[in-house]
Amino acid sequence: RWKSQVAQTLGQLTYQREGNAHHALDYFKQAMQLNPDNADAVEMMAEMALKQNNINEALEAYNQLLSLTPGRSDVYCALGYV
């Protein structure tokens, strides 16, 4: 679990410091692979995919996020935006 958290933090830092959504997305994917229940990483992965106009990947991640955290209205709003 801690490795997933480290990968997630690296993704956040990569995006915040470099503005590089592509590399940040790679870290979030790694975090998700290490811990598929890491809802924060899945949410960030969806956001980074959307920033890259990768609609299919964003939809997949948002749907996965709904399965991890059912009933979140903000996720439904994000899906409506996509």
Side-chain angles (χ1 to χ4, degrees):
R1 285 192 177 257
W2 67 268
K3 290 180 182 181
S4 175
Q5 190 64 38
V6 169
Q8 177 184 331
T9 301
L10 287 171
Q12 290 171 310
L13 290 172
T14 298
Y15 186 69
Q16 290 172 353
R17 293 188 177 178
E18 301 172 14
N20 191 327
H22 178 74
H23 286 124
L25 180 60
D26 290 339
Y27 281 117
F28 295 134
K29 285 181 181 178
Q30 183 180 12
M32 192 182 76
Q33 289 172 347
L34 291 166
N35 179 9
D37 295 331
N38 184 341
D40 291 333
V42 174
E43 184 171 11
M44 292 175 197
M45 190 177 90
E47 291 173 10
M48 292 302 114
L50 193 55
K51 286 185 184 297
Q52 294 182 68
N53 292 322
N54 188 338
I55 304 303
N56 290 334
E57 192 167 7
L59 286 172
E60 184 178 316
Y62 280 127
N63 282 319
Q64 182 177 0
L65 184 58
L66 278 177
S67 71
L68 293 172
T69 57
R72 282 188 49 187
S73 60
D74 61 322
V75 179
Y76 286 108
C77 287
L79 279 168
Y81 175 76
V82 175

